[in-house]
Amino acid sequence: MPASDYLFTSESVSEGHPDKVCDRISDEVVDLFLGEYPEARVACETLATTNRVVIAGECRPGPNSRITPDLVRHVARMAIKSIGYEQQGFHWHTAQIDVLLHEQSPDIARGVDAAAGKDEGAGDQGIMFGYACDETPELMPAPIHYAHDILRRLAAARHAGQLPQLGPDAKSQVTLRYVNGRPVGTTAIVVSTQHKPGLRTEEVRELVRPYVLAALPEGWMCPEEEFYVNPTGQFVIGGPDGDAGLTGRKIIVDTYGGAAPHGGGAFSGKDPTKVDRSAAYAARYLAKNVVAAGLARKCVIQLAYAIGVSKPLSVYVDTLGTGEVDEQRLGRTLRELVDLSPRGIRQHLGLSRPIYARTAAYGHFGRAPESDGGFSWERRDLVDALRRAFN
């Protein structure tokens, strides 16, 4: 039996974290190609270090594409500017940006493309997990939810000019106490944030404090001696100038904060034919609707694919002992409700749109569905059908 009383910790990183800068640039490139041609293929990786960005990967643009290396460079600069980097060691205007994108391999394209008698195949082999639980209204694990919210609030205040003393790079970590399997409060909180020269740690601590309190439920603040702000002291040099960044290095931050399994594949920089991204979104969509329908308090869903093959090799459902219905029947019902082929997922969730740059920071899950199709995998539109199927 799993323990019912325990501590659990999750972390988040801000949009200015070096790896998140790279995720943002890679997803801006994906949006650039999909905005021109919804069937475009993109697999884009970004490296960032002191005043240097390298954008590499493969793509297949639409016919007569007008996307040039200069346009990709411009999009990257605007992303860096939007995040807020105008520092000597990393500046949106002066950083050298190399673009090394090339055509998609025909061997990969052959497996993915639809043809006579063959539906569109998965862009790679792999396993993808989705998860939902009833710990928060967003049906996300509470530790990662609050870790994200602290940094979101700090970033919003910084962009609004309310925290000019802080820089774009930041991290948070939240430890929650669970009693009888339910979160009841925090035992420790860590916030590390880049700041302007001359600020003492105690001053940064008091700048951060109200945003931490606002993110947590009333009465959930940790003991004062367990509230750590910039525990190493000064944090002036940050972002890619302080530590090199790469696309896809924060996959647990992107998903469930370690509270659920992860298949291993990153999301950012990939168009939706890559099931690393689209099937992980579909698995979250299914799990969230199961919990929202009241069929379980927790739900893990695993999907497995082979490159070039359209149908999933397996669909696994685990309600972790909280289910109200038979799991095998639930799995069959979910496959009846949603076509889990790569094409079926893209069409059902409307993924062939430029909706990805906004996912690059503060998690791909637990966000509100948007009117233009952003975060469509967070919809709860299967709830009624699931309830009908199980009376």
Side-chain angles (χ1 to χ4, degrees), residues 62-228:
N64 304 312
S65 175
R66 297 185 178 182
I67 297 174
T68 64
D70 281 343
L71 181 55
V72 173
R73 266 188 286 272
H74 173 73
V75 164
R77 290 193 192 282
M78 292 303 100
I80 297 167
K81 183 180 182 180
S82 173
I83 292 167
Y85 276 111
E86 295 186 342
Q87 301 169 5
Q88 182 177 357
F90 195 70
H91 196 296
W92 67 269
H93 186 64
T94 60
Q96 178 179 334
I97 300 178
D98 300 324
V99 178
L100 306 174
L101 295 171
H102 61 82
E103 287 284 331
Q104 182 185 47
S105 162
D107 291 345
I108 294 176
R110 185 180 302 111
V112 176
D113 290 344
K118 175 187 175 299
D119 195 6
E120 177 184 294
D124 201 353
Q125 71 175 45
I127 56 173
M128 298 84 207
F129 286 94
Y131 180 68
C133 63
D134 63 356
E135 293 178 11
T136 62
E138 295 79 8
L139 303 185
M140 286 289 288
I144 189 68
H145 171 79
Y146 296 122
H148 284 324
D149 200 28
I150 289 168
L151 295 185
R152 262 196 302 261
R153 290 171 184 272
L154 287 171
R158 178 174 60 84
H159 285 300
Q162 298 164 0
L163 286 176
Q165 308 95 324
L166 301 188
D169 193 358
K171 300 177 76 171
S172 66
Q173 188 168 284
V174 174
T175 301
L176 292 188
R177 179 182 299 280
Y178 284 72
V179 175
N180 294 323
R182 308 296 292 176
V184 298
T186 63
T187 63
I189 295 174
V190 184
V191 179
S192 296
T193 179
Q194 187 182 16
H195 60 83
K196 299 292 176 65
L199 276 182
R200 294 179 293 111
T201 301
E202 294 76 12
E203 293 175 294
V204 178
R205 181 190 187 93
E206 295 313 310
L207 287 173
V208 166
R209 186 188 299 275
Y211 298 94
V212 174
L213 290 170
L216 299 174
E218 187 175 355
W220 275 38
M221 185 60 178
C222 65
E224 187 65 17
E225 64 272 17
E226 300 296 332
F227 180 36
Y228 303 95

Side-chain angles (χ1 to χ4, degrees), residues 357-369:
R358 69 194 76 170
T359 70
Y362 313 118
H364 292 243
F365 307 126
R367 314 281 286 271

Side-chain angles (χ1 to χ4, degrees), residues 45-64:
E45 311 292 344
T46 301
L47 161 72
T49 186
T50 302
N51 260 341
R52 184 78 179 268
V53 175
V54 179
I55 302 169
E58 58 187 34
C59 60
R60 190 175 73 183
N64 304 312

